[in-house]
Structures are given as structure tokens and as C-alpha cells.
Amino acid sequence: MSRQMVRPGGRSARVQASVHTAVRELAAEVGRDALTVPMIAQRAGVTPSTIYRRWGDLQELLSDVAVERLRPDTAPRDHGALPADLTAWAEQFLDEMSSASGRAYIRDALLGDPDGGNAGQCSAYAAEQIDVILNRATERGEETPGVETVMDRVVSPLMYRILFRPDGLDAAYARGLVTGLLDPTGRWPGKAA
């Protein structure tokens, strides 16, 4: 049964929760590279065949856990204006994704993802957060770029740098991307006045 076909609630949700918890606990105790399906199954109180049937292999399980761990816990904070909201979000995104655990989760999410569904889900998380920020700004009467424009001009360069060029990556880089998208007055330069 694929992850996308699982209905919320019931035994399936309990199995997923117990297996995800077992993976997180064991990774902290013995390290991610020492994990095995039988070890996880024993900790979760399920059979190894349950894990293989549900996830296929260890890498797909680790990918599923990573996608869940990359899901934001809360809505972005409202700082009162688009530039402040987007800058704070970009700095937090960079901080979380560029941490050792964030990079490990990104790698796991992508490695066990032959069809690209997990990468798409991780992208959707970021797009949903940006959509919240942009909707708040619109409600305040601010002009905003589109979600895809923010994804292309802020999120994409951050992810590229996190994955391939992490040296010198800091909050100033994230702020610069937002500033490059919005002019100093907080208006999106791509829209007509």
C-alpha cells in the first residue's frame, strides 16, 4: 500500500505513527546508518513484513519519515508587512533546512523517491507557507508576487545552495534574496503601480 493511498486514522495511522517514532528514536540511539528494518519493526511492535508491504524497503521508509519531519509545525508568523514576513520565513527555512538534520532529511526524502512524489510534497509545504504569507499581505492591501515567483526567486536558490554550495550560506543570503524580489518600499517591482 503506498503512502498516498493510506486513509487517516485507524490501524494504518497507528502503524505509521509507531514506525515513524521507532525510526526517529533508533536513529538518535544508534545512528541512521545502523538502522535495519527488523530493528525498526521490533521497536514499533510490528513485523518486518508489515514495513516491507507498506514502504517497500528501508530507503522508502526513511524517505517517508523525512517528508513528515520536513512538514512545518506551525503557520508562518505575522510580522505585519510582507518584507518582514517573507524575510523571517526565508531565514527560518534556511536555518532549518541547512542544519545537519535538515540536510539529512532532504537527502532521505529524495533518495527514497523514485517517482518524485516526496520532492513534490516537500515543495508543496514551502508553497503553502508562502501562500499564507502572501494572502496576509494581500489582506493588508500590499501588492504581492505570485507563489511560484517566490518559489523561483527565494526558495529555489536557497535549496540549491543548501544542497550543492553550502559554504558561506547565512541569513544575509536569505535576506538578499527577499530584498532582490521586493523593492525597499516592500512593493513587488514586477507589478505596475
PDB file of all heavy atoms in Angstrom, residues 146-165:
ATOM      1  N   GLY A 146       3.460  36.327  -7.119  1.00  0.00           N
ATOM      2  CA  GLY A 146       2.787  35.042  -7.036  1.00  0.00           C
ATOM      3  C   GLY A 146       3.619  34.042  -6.251  1.00  0.00           C
ATOM      4  O   GLY A 146       4.829  34.220  -6.067  1.00  0.00           O
ATOM      5  N   VAL A 147       2.981  32.988  -5.801  1.00  0.00           N
ATOM      6  CA  VAL A 147       3.673  31.935  -5.049  1.00  0.00           C
ATOM      7  C   VAL A 147       4.835  31.373  -5.875  1.00  0.00           C
ATOM      8  O   VAL A 147       5.947  31.205  -5.361  1.00  0.00           O
ATOM      9  CB  VAL A 147       2.696  30.811  -4.639  1.00  0.00           C
ATOM     10  CG1 VAL A 147       3.447  29.625  -4.053  1.00  0.00           C
ATOM     11  CG2 VAL A 147       1.658  31.322  -3.655  1.00  0.00           C
ATOM     12  N   GLU A 148       4.588  31.092  -7.144  1.00  0.00           N
ATOM     13  CA  GLU A 148       5.650  30.492  -7.974  1.00  0.00           C
ATOM     14  C   GLU A 148       6.834  31.437  -8.149  1.00  0.00           C
ATOM     15  O   GLU A 148       7.975  30.988  -8.231  1.00  0.00           O
ATOM     16  CB  GLU A 148       5.102  30.045  -9.327  1.00  0.00           C
ATOM     17  CG  GLU A 148       4.177  28.842  -9.237  1.00  0.00           C
ATOM     18  CD  GLU A 148       4.807  27.636  -8.550  1.00  0.00           C
ATOM     19  OE1 GLU A 148       5.971  27.280  -8.859  1.00  0.00           O
ATOM     20  OE2 GLU A 148       4.133  27.047  -7.684  1.00  0.00           O
ATOM     21  N   THR A 149       6.574  32.727  -8.186  1.00  0.00           N
ATOM     22  CA  THR A 149       7.671  33.688  -8.289  1.00  0.00           C
ATOM     23  C   THR A 149       8.539  33.632  -7.035  1.00  0.00           C
ATOM     24  O   THR A 149       9.772  33.636  -7.124  1.00  0.00           O
ATOM     25  CB  THR A 149       7.122  35.115  -8.508  1.00  0.00           C
ATOM     26  OG1 THR A 149       6.377  35.122  -9.722  1.00  0.00           O
ATOM     27  CG2 THR A 149       8.236  36.143  -8.575  1.00  0.00           C
ATOM     28  N   VAL A 150       7.919  33.542  -5.869  1.00  0.00           N
ATOM     29  CA  VAL A 150       8.682  33.430  -4.624  1.00  0.00           C
ATOM     30  C   VAL A 150       9.427  32.095  -4.589  1.00  0.00           C
ATOM     31  O   VAL A 150      10.588  32.034  -4.165  1.00  0.00           O
ATOM     32  CB  VAL A 150       7.770  33.594  -3.391  1.00  0.00           C
ATOM     33  CG1 VAL A 150       8.565  33.431  -2.099  1.00  0.00           C
ATOM     34  CG2 VAL A 150       7.064  34.943  -3.413  1.00  0.00           C
ATOM     35  N   MET A 151       8.777  31.035  -5.048  1.00  0.00           N
ATOM     36  CA  MET A 151       9.449  29.728  -5.086  1.00  0.00           C
ATOM     37  C   MET A 151      10.693  29.808  -5.982  1.00  0.00           C
ATOM     38  O   MET A 151      11.761  29.313  -5.614  1.00  0.00           O
ATOM     39  CB  MET A 151       8.494  28.645  -5.601  1.00  0.00           C
ATOM     40  CG  MET A 151       7.331  28.338  -4.682  1.00  0.00           C
ATOM     41  SD  MET A 151       7.790  27.560  -3.119  1.00  0.00           S
ATOM     42  CE  MET A 151       8.227  25.916  -3.688  1.00  0.00           C
ATOM     43  N   ASP A 152      10.553  30.442  -7.143  1.00  0.00           N
ATOM     44  CA  ASP A 152      11.663  30.529  -8.095  1.00  0.00           C
ATOM     45  C   ASP A 152      12.786  31.445  -7.618  1.00  0.00           C
ATOM     46  O   ASP A 152      13.960  31.154  -7.844  1.00  0.00           O
ATOM     47  CB  ASP A 152      11.170  31.047  -9.455  1.00  0.00           C
ATOM     48  CG  ASP A 152      10.312  30.032 -10.191  1.00  0.00           C
ATOM     49  OD1 ASP A 152      10.309  28.842  -9.812  1.00  0.00           O
ATOM     50  OD2 ASP A 152       9.624  30.440 -11.155  1.00  0.00           O
ATOM     51  N   ARG A 153      12.428  32.557  -6.961  1.00  0.00           N
ATOM     52  CA  ARG A 153      13.431  33.579  -6.664  1.00  0.00           C
ATOM     53  C   ARG A 153      13.957  33.539  -5.235  1.00  0.00           C
ATOM     54  O   ARG A 153      14.982  34.165  -4.943  1.00  0.00           O
ATOM     55  CB  ARG A 153      12.872  34.955  -6.989  1.00  0.00           C
ATOM     56  CG  ARG A 153      12.545  35.013  -8.490  1.00  0.00           C
ATOM     57  CD  ARG A 153      12.495  36.314  -9.141  1.00  0.00           C
ATOM     58  NE  ARG A 153      13.352  37.365  -8.674  1.00  0.00           N
ATOM     59  CZ  ARG A 153      13.046  38.648  -8.811  1.00  0.00           C
ATOM     60  NH1 ARG A 153      11.912  39.006  -9.388  1.00  0.00           N
ATOM     61  NH2 ARG A 153      13.864  39.560  -8.367  1.00  0.00           N
ATOM     62  N   VAL A 154      13.272  32.807  -4.341  1.00  0.00           N
ATOM     63  CA  VAL A 154      13.738  32.714  -2.952  1.00  0.00           C
ATOM     64  C   VAL A 154      14.004  31.256  -2.569  1.00  0.00           C
ATOM     65  O   VAL A 154      15.117  30.898  -2.190  1.00  0.00           O
ATOM     66  CB  VAL A 154      12.732  33.365  -1.968  1.00  0.00           C
ATOM     67  CG1 VAL A 154      13.196  33.202  -0.530  1.00  0.00           C
ATOM     68  CG2 VAL A 154      12.540  34.849  -2.304  1.00  0.00           C
ATOM     69  N   VAL A 155      13.007  30.415  -2.686  1.00  0.00           N
ATOM     70  CA  VAL A 155      13.146  29.030  -2.222  1.00  0.00           C
ATOM     71  C   VAL A 155      14.135  28.237  -3.075  1.00  0.00           C
ATOM     72  O   VAL A 155      15.014  27.550  -2.544  1.00  0.00           O
ATOM     73  CB  VAL A 155      11.770  28.318  -2.173  1.00  0.00           C
ATOM     74  CG1 VAL A 155      11.927  26.874  -1.719  1.00  0.00           C
ATOM     75  CG2 VAL A 155      10.822  29.065  -1.246  1.00  0.00           C
ATOM     76  N   SER A 156      14.007  28.331  -4.395  1.00  0.00           N
ATOM     77  CA  SER A 156      14.893  27.544  -5.268  1.00  0.00           C
ATOM     78  C   SER A 156      16.373  27.855  -5.053  1.00  0.00           C
ATOM     79  O   SER A 156      17.181  26.926  -4.897  1.00  0.00           O
ATOM     80  CB  SER A 156      14.511  27.740  -6.736  1.00  0.00           C
ATOM     81  OG  SER A 156      13.232  27.221  -6.976  1.00  0.00           O
ATOM     82  N   PRO A 157      16.765  29.134  -5.030  1.00  0.00           N
ATOM     83  CA  PRO A 157      18.184  29.393  -4.776  1.00  0.00           C
ATOM     84  C   PRO A 157      18.634  28.921  -3.392  1.00  0.00           C
ATOM     85  O   PRO A 157      19.757  28.441  -3.230  1.00  0.00           O
ATOM     86  CB  PRO A 157      18.319  30.916  -4.902  1.00  0.00           C
ATOM     87  CG  PRO A 157      17.066  31.408  -5.491  1.00  0.00           C
ATOM     88  CD  PRO A 157      16.029  30.354  -5.338  1.00  0.00           C
ATOM     89  N   LEU A 158      17.752  29.048  -2.392  1.00  0.00           N
ATOM     90  CA  LEU A 158      18.118  28.552  -1.061  1.00  0.00           C
ATOM     91  C   LEU A 158      18.370  27.052  -1.094  1.00  0.00           C
ATOM     92  O   LEU A 158      19.377  26.566  -0.572  1.00  0.00           O
ATOM     93  CB  LEU A 158      17.022  28.871  -0.041  1.00  0.00           C
ATOM     94  CG  LEU A 158      16.922  30.313   0.433  1.00  0.00           C
ATOM     95  CD1 LEU A 158      15.686  30.501   1.313  1.00  0.00           C
ATOM     96  CD2 LEU A 158      18.182  30.742   1.174  1.00  0.00           C
ATOM     97  N   MET A 159      17.465  26.302  -1.721  1.00  0.00           N
ATOM     98  CA  MET A 159      17.622  24.853  -1.766  1.00  0.00           C
ATOM     99  C   MET A 159      18.863  24.454  -2.557  1.00  0.00           C
ATOM    100  O   MET A 159      19.596  23.549  -2.166  1.00  0.00           O
ATOM    101  CB  MET A 159      16.373  24.186  -2.360  1.00  0.00           C
ATOM    102  CG  MET A 159      15.201  24.147  -1.405  1.00  0.00           C
ATOM    103  SD  MET A 159      15.566  23.306   0.167  1.00  0.00           S
ATOM    104  CE  MET A 159      15.881  21.652  -0.407  1.00  0.00           C
ATOM    105  N   TYR A 160      19.108  25.123  -3.657  1.00  0.00           N
ATOM    106  CA  TYR A 160      20.292  24.821  -4.452  1.00  0.00           C
ATOM    107  C   TYR A 160      21.556  25.015  -3.617  1.00  0.00           C
ATOM    108  O   TYR A 160      22.427  24.149  -3.584  1.00  0.00           O
ATOM    109  CB  TYR A 160      20.351  25.695  -5.710  1.00  0.00           C
ATOM    110  CG  TYR A 160      21.550  25.370  -6.565  1.00  0.00           C
ATOM    111  CD1 TYR A 160      21.484  24.349  -7.502  1.00  0.00           C
ATOM    112  CD2 TYR A 160      22.745  26.059  -6.401  1.00  0.00           C
ATOM    113  CE1 TYR A 160      22.595  24.023  -8.270  1.00  0.00           C
ATOM    114  CE2 TYR A 160      23.858  25.742  -7.161  1.00  0.00           C
ATOM    115  CZ  TYR A 160      23.779  24.721  -8.095  1.00  0.00           C
ATOM    116  OH  TYR A 160      24.890  24.391  -8.833  1.00  0.00           O
ATOM    117  N   ARG A 161      21.619  26.151  -2.931  1.00  0.00           N
ATOM    118  CA  ARG A 161      22.797  26.422  -2.112  1.00  0.00           C
ATOM    119  C   ARG A 161      22.917  25.433  -0.957  1.00  0.00           C
ATOM    120  O   ARG A 161      24.011  24.977  -0.636  1.00  0.00           O
ATOM    121  CB  ARG A 161      22.757  27.862  -1.588  1.00  0.00           C
ATOM    122  CG  ARG A 161      22.983  28.939  -2.629  1.00  0.00           C
ATOM    123  CD  ARG A 161      24.428  28.988  -3.123  1.00  0.00           C
ATOM    124  NE  ARG A 161      25.395  29.105  -2.070  1.00  0.00           N
ATOM    125  CZ  ARG A 161      25.882  30.249  -1.584  1.00  0.00           C
ATOM    126  NH1 ARG A 161      25.482  31.397  -2.097  1.00  0.00           N
ATOM    127  NH2 ARG A 161      26.769  30.248  -0.618  1.00  0.00           N
ATOM    128  N   ILE A 162      21.812  25.098  -0.311  1.00  0.00           N
ATOM    129  CA  ILE A 162      21.835  24.136   0.797  1.00  0.00           C
ATOM    130  C   ILE A 162      22.388  22.797   0.317  1.00  0.00           C
ATOM    131  O   ILE A 162      23.227  22.181   0.972  1.00  0.00           O
ATOM    132  CB  ILE A 162      20.429  23.957   1.408  1.00  0.00           C
ATOM    133  CG1 ILE A 162      20.023  25.220   2.184  1.00  0.00           C
ATOM    134  CG2 ILE A 162      20.361  22.729   2.311  1.00  0.00           C
ATOM    135  CD1 ILE A 162      18.539  25.293   2.522  1.00  0.00           C
ATOM    136  N   LEU A 163      21.926  22.355  -0.840  1.00  0.00           N
ATOM    137  CA  LEU A 163      22.316  21.038  -1.345  1.00  0.00           C
ATOM    138  C   LEU A 163      23.691  21.009  -1.992  1.00  0.00           C
ATOM    139  O   LEU A 163      24.427  20.032  -1.838  1.00  0.00           O
ATOM    140  CB  LEU A 163      21.274  20.537  -2.357  1.00  0.00           C
ATOM    141  CG  LEU A 163      19.918  20.176  -1.772  1.00  0.00           C
ATOM    142  CD1 LEU A 163      18.919  19.905  -2.883  1.00  0.00           C
ATOM    143  CD2 LEU A 163      20.034  18.966  -0.840  1.00  0.00           C
ATOM    144  N   PHE A 164      24.055  22.065  -2.716  1.00  0.00           N
ATOM    145  CA  PHE A 164      25.253  21.991  -3.534  1.00  0.00           C
ATOM    146  C   PHE A 164      26.350  22.995  -3.224  1.00  0.00           C
ATOM    147  O   PHE A 164      27.494  22.769  -3.609  1.00  0.00           O
ATOM    148  CB  PHE A 164      24.875  22.132  -5.019  1.00  0.00           C
ATOM    149  CG  PHE A 164      23.883  21.098  -5.476  1.00  0.00           C
ATOM    150  CD1 PHE A 164      22.607  21.463  -5.848  1.00  0.00           C
ATOM    151  CD2 PHE A 164      24.225  19.753  -5.515  1.00  0.00           C
ATOM    152  CE1 PHE A 164      21.692  20.515  -6.277  1.00  0.00           C
ATOM    153  CE2 PHE A 164      23.321  18.797  -5.929  1.00  0.00           C
ATOM    154  CZ  PHE A 164      22.047  19.171  -6.312  1.00  0.00           C
ATOM    155  N   ARG A 165      26.030  24.114  -2.591  1.00  0.00           N
ATOM    156  CA  ARG A 165      27.022  25.144  -2.309  1.00  0.00           C
ATOM    157  C   ARG A 165      26.787  25.762  -0.934  1.00  0.00           C
ATOM    158  O   ARG A 165      26.525  26.958  -0.822  1.00  0.00           O
ATOM    159  CB  ARG A 165      26.987  26.230  -3.383  1.00  0.00           C
ATOM    160  CG  ARG A 165      27.367  25.740  -4.775  1.00  0.00           C
ATOM    161  CD  ARG A 165      27.274  26.822  -5.815  1.00  0.00           C
ATOM    162  NE  ARG A 165      28.100  27.985  -5.530  1.00  0.00           N
ATOM    163  CZ  ARG A 165      29.371  28.128  -5.880  1.00  0.00           C
ATOM    164  NH1 ARG A 165      29.966  27.177  -6.545  1.00  0.00           N
ATOM    165  NH2 ARG A 165      30.027  29.214  -5.581  1.00  0.00           N
TER     166      ARG A 165
END
